[in-house]
Amino acid sequence: MASKILVLLVPLAAFVFQSLFQPRVRFGDHNHVYNHVPGTCRLVEGVVHGAEDIVRTRDGLAFISTGMKPPPAFNPDPWYLQAVGKILLFDLKKPEDGVRELKIEPEEILSEGLGPHGLGLYENYAGEIRLFVVNHHKEGDRVDIFRYVRPEAKLQHVRSVRDPLLHSVNDVLATGTDAFFATNDHYCHAPWAMKLERFLGLAWSNVVYFNGTTASVAADGFSIANSIATPPSGDLVYVSDTLQQHVRVFRRLPDHSLELQRVIPLFTGVDNLNICPETGDLWVGAHPSVSDTFSHIRDRRHLAPSQVLRIQNAAGEYPEVTELYANDGRQLSGSTAAVVYNRRLLIGTVVDTLLYCDIMVPM
Amino acid sequence: MSRAVVLVLAVASSAFVLNHVAKLLMATGMLKHVYNHAPGTCRFVPGAEQGSEDIAMTSSGLAFISSGAKKLSILPKSVEEDFMPHGISVYEDDHSGEVRLFVVNHAKGHQERVEIFRFDADSNSLYHIKSIAHPLLYSLNDILAIGHESFYASNDKYTTGLYTRMAETWFLLPWSNVVYYSGGEATIAADGLVYANGISLSPGGKLVYVADFTSGVVKIYHRRDDNTLLFSRDISIHSSVHKICVDPASGDLWVGAHPSAFHLAEHLKDASRPCGSQVLRIENPAGENVTVTEMYSDDGRWLWGSSIGCYHEKQLLIGTINHKLMHCTVDLPL
């Protein structure tokens, strides 16, 4: 009898142990986060409801999305629901000026309630700057395309793109004045289904391409396709998968579908990607412990670790990964994005603040 | 009824075993991923390729390094023939200016000794003064010189046999200790450690810091007038802590650590296998707000098996058990 019990017990214990540990390893509970900075860092004043995504122009103008309200599926802390969605501007040539809120025309966009998430930037050599904003509008997810009017520091709405294929949009990568790639971070719609999708690690998240008129699926099979970036050459596309803890490197085919080349494992909850236009380096905002970030969203007092990674030679066979910033949550919780311009670093978070650092270590 | 008892016992014991396995996994750092970053520009110091396990610094910034390769002249030469150095410590006599070096020697035939040398700067030599052996000094690791011939020493394990020592490790047995020796007498100053490694002294001489390698903590003890140690607190490092270097100017602790004891063990078996390195800085170790900052981290890209990091005036010297010696500028604000 005892041997029968053991025969049952051992595999049961193993299964329980494995399923208890596996998601925890995936969610990053096992790694202790050590604090370190690349130089002097300070919080940017006036940003209290997150800075989920940051993109910058070639001359150091950073656009920041703030005030994202976490969806009900995450049981968010009521404090976050007081947030008002906005787009902020931070000039990395003049960091002492801090952030300013950008005017948006028409006003209805803001008064209706802007739910900004990921950002994409289109910049051409004629000087036109377009900001693509993932908007969790109350009527459904859409991508709003704005023209940035520099002298008046305002965003002029051009068009809103809605499509059945854009249903759980996280980030957007502009590829033309009206064209873009977008990530859908989940397949399911219902909150309980999204939770299950994450916990079971179902790989149903995808990347969609919009050519200006129609949308199509460009790649799928992601656990959580989060962010998307492309080097200046435009032939490759990088997509981060938060739960699989890596960046996928794709070759962009003529029909805009994506062909997987290789994967860059990062062993952390990868969030937003930014490309340095001068060097091609990938700047990565990440969550060393995704489960702590989720807890932080449920309760703002719960701290979540933060991390910024730099990937050199991302397109090559042997990318080099350096950790530029790490924090256990006491200085910054839930980092999502990072941009660098001229040894100046900006780090954004889901629902916390915005951090500015002067980089003193050699680059 | 008895079936239920058997079931309960089976579940309880498997839970206990699983929990112990989990503790071991965490202690070995096998699940950890190590990232790379440096505080400034780093380069290898030429001429130190066979390890630099311990570094002892004088107040003027002169560093003694215990290494597989012996570079300083040791006199008399006969001492060199039976010399396998491990932990070292510097004793500076404020009145006479004499600099003494205490070295743990794993001499031939499993003899554990402490060798005391006098350093002669003019001839760059170490003159042997005395060998100290005592039954309580049986598994020596590091040493902390307190007086001309008195010191604290760590015994990293209790037993000396190969398999019993392995058992001590795998069962996480807390049988390691710290001994105080003076004038021919030795006493156990602190025990209950799992693997006492580096020992260091605070600038005022009132606190003794001991690295517990397997537990991944720095233990802080108050040093009483009679040289006994009173346990104060643990600072968790979550890495295998090796040796501690105290910055005399700030009282900060600079700790050399191994992010993964598992990979370190592989590296020690085969020196061509890489392993990671880590140097941490602990500010305000005895105070209310202890701050731990990771100053250097390496997954094996450059430096393998860091055991110690010593800071002096915007420079960091990192020693390894079996690899090279690294010098970094510290460009970060401290």
Side-chain angles (χ1 to χ4, degrees):
Chain A
M1 189 60 207
S3 57
K4 281 204 192 119
I5 294 172
L6 270 173
V7 163
L8 269 175
L9 201 73
V10 170
L12 184 71
F15 174 75
V16 167
F17 182 79
Q18 189 265 151
S19 46
L20 274 180
F21 256 74
Q22 239 263 16
R24 293 186 88 79
V25 169
R26 213 188 315 134
F27 287 135
D29 284 348
H30 58 289
N31 245 8
H32 177 78
V33 178
Y34 297 95
N35 295 320
H36 70 94
V37 290
T40 30
C41 294
R42 58 173 175 83
L43 299 178
V44 176
E45 260 190 61
V47 182
V48 296
H49 281 295
E52 207 276 343
D53 202 5
I54 313 173
V55 290
R56 72 152 173 96
T57 62
R58 275 188 294 272
D59 69 342
L61 270 184
F63 293 89
I64 301 154
S65 65
T66 185
M68 183 183 89
K69 290 199 201 20
F74 290 80
N75 286 337
D77 188 312
W79 158 258
Y80 304 133
L81 302 176
Q82 294 172 38
V84 175
K86 300 177 196 162
I87 307 292
L88 305 174
L89 189 76
F90 186 102
D91 188 350
L92 285 158
K93 295 189 297 296
K94 295 194 228 130
E96 59 289 352
D97 287 355
V99 288
R100 61 185 289 192
E101 187 185 338
L102 285 176
K103 276 197 301 265
I104 294 185
E105 254 172 46
E107 276 191 33
E108 288 77 53
I109 307 258
L110 278 178
S111 55
E112 270 178 354
L114 179 74
H117 198 153
L119 300 174
L121 195 78
Y122 168 79
E123 196 180 7
N124 66 21
Y125 286 95
E128 181 178 357
I129 295 171
R130 287 197 174 202
L131 189 70
F132 289 52
V133 180
V134 171
N135 185 0
H136 297 301
H137 192 262
K138 51 181 190 272
E139 284 162 22
D141 282 6
R142 68 189 204 203
V143 174
D144 287 329
I145 304 177
F146 299 88
R147 196 179 295 115
Y148 175 62
V149 181
R150 208 185 265 258
E152 295 154 63
K154 77 166 184 231
L155 292 168
Q156 178 71 53
H157 182 250
V158 173
R159 67 185 287 194
S160 291
V161 177
R162 266 181 227 86
D163 192 287
L165 279 180
L166 299 169
H167 60 265
S168 183
V169 193
N170 192 305
D171 198 7
V172 62
L173 168 68
T175 54
T177 51
D178 292 76
F180 58 82
F181 283 96
T183 51
N184 280 309
D185 54 25
H186 288 80
Y187 179 81
C188 298
H189 294 66
W192 63 268
M194 285 167 79
K195 227 184 220 171
L196 203 59
E197 197 184 322
R198 279 194 307 272
F199 189 77
L200 292 176
L202 300 173
W204 292 350
S205 155
N206 66 18
V207 172
V208 164
Y209 179 72
F210 181 77
N211 64 8
T213 332
T214 51
S216 56
V217 175
D220 61 10
F222 296 87
S223 290
I224 287 190
N226 196 314
S227 178
I228 183 160
T230 187
S233 52
D235 56 339
L236 291 177
V237 171
Y238 304 109
V239 184
S240 61
D241 190 324
T242 310
L243 286 188
Q244 298 220 10
Q245 307 198 325
H246 61 214
V247 171
R248 295 191 195 187
V249 182
F250 293 93
R251 198 163 66 85
R252 191 173 161 191
L253 298 175
D255 66 349
H256 306 289
S257 64
L258 302 175
E259 184 187 72
L260 184 67
Q261 301 294 289
R262 73 185 78 85
V263 149
I264 306 174
L266 293 177
F267 307 94
T268 185
V270 197
D271 202 314
N272 288 328
L273 304 175
N274 262 297
I275 286 260
C276 174
E278 293 86 37
T279 61
D281 288 352
L282 255 184
W283 293 99
V284 179
H287 308 278
S289 169
V290 169
S291 63
D292 276 320
T293 302
F294 286 159
S295 299
H296 173 66
I297 292 177
R298 281 194 297 273
D299 178 359
R300 65 186 290 225
R301 292 162 306 179
H302 186 107
L303 302 177
S306 294
Q307 186 183 37
V308 171
L309 299 171
R310 172 193 186 196
I311 308 179
Q312 290 165 278
N313 200 22
E317 252 195 273
Y318 303 108
E320 216 174 276
V321 181
T322 311
E323 188 181 67
L324 209 66
Y325 175 88
N327 193 268
D328 56 12
R330 276 177 291 175
Q331 182 178 52
L332 200 69
S333 274
S335 57
T336 48
V339 287
V340 173
Y341 174 77
N342 199 17
R343 296 194 141 255
R344 292 165 177 174
L345 167 67
L346 265 183
I347 311 175
T349 58
V350 201
V351 284
D352 195 19
T353 61
L354 178 68
L355 192 76
Y356 169 81
C357 298
D358 282 303
I359 300 178
M360 291 162 156
V361 290
M363 284 184 64
Chain B
M1 196 55 212
S2 62
R3 271 188 226 159
V5 170
V6 169
L7 189 64
V8 166
L9 278 174
V11 170
S13 46
S14 22
F16 176 78
V17 168
L18 282 174
N19 184 50
H20 187 83
V21 167
K23 262 177 37 186
L24 273 177
L25 267 177
M26 290 307 191
T28 57
M30 268 174 82
L31 296 178
K32 222 192 237 190
H33 183 76
V34 179
Y35 295 94
N36 297 304
H37 67 92
T41 324
C42 296
R43 56 175 184 87
F44 292 121
V45 177
E49 276 82 38
Q50 283 161 276
S52 34
E53 201 260 356
D54 200 2
I55 300 175
M57 292 191 68
T58 64
S59 46
S60 57
L62 177 69
F64 291 97
I65 299 159
S66 112
S67 163
K70 296 148 199 151
K71 292 290 164 64
L72 276 177
S73 308
I74 292 179
L75 298 155
K77 278 257 170 275
S78 55
V79 173
E80 253 200 284
E81 277 143 39
D82 191 8
F83 194 54
M84 258 275 278
H86 199 156
I88 59 178
S89 181
V90 167
Y91 176 72
E92 287 177 271
D93 187 321
D94 296 324
H95 302 293
S96 64
E98 183 187 62
V99 176
R100 288 193 168 202
L101 193 68
F102 289 51
V103 184
V104 165
N105 184 10
H106 298 299
K108 296 196 186 115
H110 291 291
Q111 303 271 343
E112 300 280 90
R113 290 203 293 266
V114 174
E115 313 290 358
I116 303 181
F117 298 90
R118 181 175 58 82
F119 175 64
D120 180 43
D122 298 323
S123 62
N124 234 18
S125 311
L126 292 170
Y127 287 91
H128 187 251
I129 297 174
K130 194 169 188 172
S131 285
I132 294 174
H134 189 282
L136 274 183
L137 303 173
Y138 50 79
S139 183
L140 293 177
N141 190 304
D142 197 16
I143 187 153
L144 171 62
I146 295 290
H148 277 92
E149 281 175 15
S150 53
F151 54 83
Y152 288 97
S154 52
N155 282 309
D156 50 26
K157 291 249 166 278
Y158 185 73
T159 58
T160 47
L162 177 66
Y163 293 105
T164 49
R165 286 166 76 89
M166 268 171 67
E168 276 188 68
T169 306
W170 289 107
F171 290 108
L172 302 173
L173 298 173
W175 292 352
S176 169
N177 63 27
V178 173
V179 163
Y180 178 71
Y181 175 95
S182 179
E185 307 268 313
T187 47
I188 295 179
D191 65 8
L193 293 116
V194 182
Y195 191 125
N197 201 315
I199 321 184
S200 295
L201 191 69
S202 64
K206 289 277 184 298
L207 297 170
V208 170
Y209 306 112
V210 183
D212 190 328
F213 185 87
T214 310
S215 307
V217 299
V218 170
K219 300 182 100 70
I220 304 185
Y221 297 88
H222 287 296
R223 188 174 152 225
R224 295 197 191 95
D225 291 330
D226 61 355
N227 290 304
T228 53
L229 298 176
L230 175 68
F231 177 69
S232 171
R233 56 139 73 130
D234 278 340
I235 300 178
S236 288
I237 298 297
H238 305 273
S239 253
S240 302
V241 207
H242 203 132
K243 296 269 189 298
I244 304 166
C245 205
V246 182
D247 178 8
S250 60
D252 288 349
L253 301 184
W254 288 74
V255 173
H258 307 280
S260 168
F262 172 73
H263 290 112
L264 174 68
E266 299 288 293
H267 169 66
L268 292 176
K269 276 197 280 229
D270 177 356
S272 66
R273 296 185 70 159
C275 67
S277 289
Q278 188 183 32
V279 175
L280 300 143
R281 171 191 177 212
I282 307 176
E283 292 168 84
N284 210 14
E288 285 275 325
N289 295 321
V290 183
T291 311
V292 180
T293 311
E294 188 180 65
M295 300 305 291
Y296 180 90
S297 177
D298 188 327
D299 61 4
R301 188 160 71 167
W302 295 313
L303 196 68
W304 304 351
S306 58
S307 52
I308 185 164
C310 280
Y311 173 80
H312 183 76
E313 288 178 5
K314 298 243 135 217
Q315 298 170 84
L316 176 64
L317 203 59
I318 310 175
T320 58
I321 300 181
N322 218 10
H323 194 232
K324 305 180 187 180
L325 180 67
M326 183 171 255
H327 173 272
C328 295
T329 58
V330 179
D331 299 343
L332 294 168
L334 284 188

